[in-house]
Amino acid sequence: MRRLRHSGGSRRVLLASAAVVATGGLLAGCKDIAPPVDGGPSGSAVSDAGDGRAVNPLDNPDGTKPGLAAITSAGDKAEARTLIGKVATKGRGPKTGYERDKFGYAWMDSAPGGIPFSHNGCDSRDDLLKRDGEKVRFRAGSTCVVTSMTLHDPYTGKTIEWTKSHAITVQIDHVMPLSYDWQMGASHWDKGKREDIANDPLNLIPVDGPANGAKSDSGPAAWLPPNKLVRCSYAVRFAQVSLKYDLPVTTADKRMMLSLCGG
């Protein structure tokens, strides 16, 4: 568990976080396939989503808090480099045999490894939309199926007014893409572990659809978020997933990750 700093700025962040919890906080429901369009009635319920302030990934090691806040201080960048330094490297293996279905169906609520939000009755896509969205609205009679929300996209810096009728405008990015995982060792895992990484909120961020499409299955050496302010944070999140699942990255990717945080 990371020790939070006790500066005045940190105290303000903690107080702001407490205010969000006091008003209901953010509810917590993804990219290899676009989410389905749901034609059912909408607007019957509104989540008490607070202001949706993004959280520094160093303070969000399990991915249950919203967004991807910029890492800016020298101390945090040094901590980020230390974390990234722990990531192992190896060459990228072949993609032979990769299929999305080998990581379970999207977006399953039944991943077996005890990841956050699993077995809560909502699919993992909706869990992530609720986690990161503001002004979240649900389908009539549901507390799971998100029909509209406001998303502050960390990858582009844009604010997106999303509705389910235009679902692909927001996609859920696998920070470590599933085919990348396959090539770096997940091809040898059992299906349960693959289902975990495919649905783990640590590895999932709702983002601008076109930006996510441009990323495809690239590592950090080949693709980075257009928003330069969050690139160190993106590298940290990539490292967090890598370390949790004992997956190496390529040497080029690790070198890029370190450089993004001042290394």
Side-chain angles (χ1 to χ4, degrees), residues 180-195:
Y180 185 103
D181 300 337
W182 181 266
Q183 293 173 79
M184 301 308 288
S187 59
H188 303 296
W189 293 353
D190 62 55
K191 190 172 183 179
K193 188 174 180 180
R194 292 199 292 263
E195 289 172 347

Side-chain angles (χ1 to χ4, degrees), residues 82-88 176 202 236-249:
T82 297
L83 180 75
I84 294 166
K86 298 175 182 177
V87 174
M176 284 192 78
L202 185 66
V236 166
R237 179 53 54 81
F238 209 97
Q240 287 172 323
V241 178
S242 168
L243 292 168
K244 178 175 180 177
Y245 287 92
D246 196 23
L247 277 176
V249 303

Side-chain angles (χ1 to χ4, degrees), residues 30-36 98-112 115 117-127 174 178 191-200 204:
C30 276
K31 167 301 151 209
D32 284 308
I33 58 177
Y98 168 74
E99 296 174 1
R100 173 62 176 85
D101 287 350
K102 291 182 178 179
F103 289 79
Y105 67 86
W107 298 93
M108 63 189 303
D109 182 43
S110 56
I115 59 171
F117 306 148
S118 64
H119 302 274
N120 67 355
C122 301
D123 70 42
S124 55
R125 176 181 70 91
D126 282 320
D127 284 334
H174 286 99
L178 299 185
K191 190 172 183 179
K193 188 174 180 180
R194 292 199 292 263
E195 289 172 347
D196 285 345
I197 199 171
N199 295 280
D200 192 331
L204 298 172

Side-chain angles (χ1 to χ4, degrees), residues 142-213:
S142 174
T143 57
C144 284
V145 180
V146 179
T147 59
S148 67
M149 64 164 186
T150 300
L151 178 71
H152 299 294
D153 169 35
Y155 284 7
T156 65
K158 297 191 301 186
T159 297
I160 302 171
E161 299 297 335
W162 179 87
T163 63
K164 198 172 180 66
S165 60
H166 297 89
I168 62 173
T169 58
V170 167
Q171 297 176 10
I172 311 299
D173 180 43
H174 286 99
V175 177
M176 284 192 78
L178 299 185
S179 62
Y180 185 103
D181 300 337
W182 181 266
Q183 293 173 79
M184 301 308 288
S187 59
H188 303 296
W189 293 353
D190 62 55
K191 190 172 183 179
K193 188 174 180 180
R194 292 199 292 263
E195 289 172 347
D196 285 345
I197 199 171
N199 295 280
D200 192 331
L202 185 66
N203 194 30
L204 298 172
I205 304 178
V207 297
D208 173 71
N212 191 45

